[in-house]
Amino acid sequence: MPYLLKSEPEKYSFDDLLRDGETIWDGIKNPQALITLRNMKKGEDCVIYHSNEGKAAIGLAKVVSVELAPPEPPSKMTTPLVRIKAGKRLKREKPLAEIRDAAVFHGSIMFRQFRLSVVPLTDEQFDWLVHG
C-alpha cells in the first residue's frame, strides 16, 4: 500500500530527506496516524507532501524498515519507528488545489481528516500523484 507523508518543510523538507538519504519518520502524535505507521511494510512507496508552506506533493520515498519502540510510559501505545529512504523528486509538484480537484481523490480520507500526517493512498491515487 502506498502512503502520503505530510511534512512541514520548515522543519523537515524533501530536500532534507534527499540530503540525509534516510530518516526515521517521527513526530507523529495522532493515534490514527500512528496505527497507519505501524501497519507500514518494508518496500512500500510513499509520497512526501509539504504541508503549511508549499502545500504540494514533492517527491518519493520508500519504507526501509518498521520497528516498534518500547512505550514510555508502558501504558502508552507503542510508537512505530518507520525508516524511509529518499526517492526521486516528482517531475512536477502536485499542488493541494489540483489534488483536491482530481476525481481519484474524491472521498479521500486526506480531505475528510485533513490534519492526518500519514494518509494511506490507493494505487490509483499514488499513480496519479507520480504520473498524472
Side-chain angles (χ1 to χ4, degrees):
M1 170 178 285
Y3 300 90
L4 184 130
L5 304 176
K6 294 181 182 178
S7 178
E8 296 176 16
E10 65 277 1
K11 292 183 181 175
Y12 196 83
S13 69
F14 183 70
D15 286 333
D16 294 326
L17 178 58
L18 286 174
R19 178 198 65 222
D20 297 344
E22 289 186 4
T23 193
I24 297 284
W25 202 257
D26 58 6
I28 308 300
K29 305 264 190 274
N30 180 286
Q32 187 173 353
L34 288 170
I35 290 168
T36 301
L37 279 177
R38 197 174 300 116
N39 290 329
M40 287 180 161
K41 308 249 183 311
K42 180 180 178 178
E44 289 183 313
D45 292 309
C46 302
V47 174
I48 306 300
Y49 174 90
H50 283 174
S51 62
N52 294 342
E53 183 182 307
K55 294 186 180 181
I58 304 295
L60 301 174
K62 194 167 283 282
V63 176
V64 174
S65 64
V66 180
E67 299 175 23
L68 297 179
E72 292 181 22
S75 62
K76 289 274 190 183
M77 184 171 20
T78 303
T79 302
L81 298 175
V82 176
R83 177 168 288 281
I84 61 169
K85 180 179 179 178
K88 294 182 180 184
R89 184 177 300 277
L90 294 177
K91 290 181 183 178
R92 186 177 70 78
E93 293 181 6
K94 300 294 188 322
L96 176 61
E98 199 173 314
I99 296 169
R100 184 180 286 128
D101 289 343
V104 72
F105 278 93
H106 290 174
S108 169
I109 193 169
M110 182 175 173
F111 298 109
R112 290 193 320 266
Q113 293 182 292
F114 196 72
R115 299 200 47 87
L116 281 180
S117 54
V118 181
V119 178
L121 298 171
T122 65
D123 289 334
E124 293 78 17
Q125 290 167 338
F126 178 79
D127 186 61
W128 183 90
L129 288 167
V130 175
H131 305 293

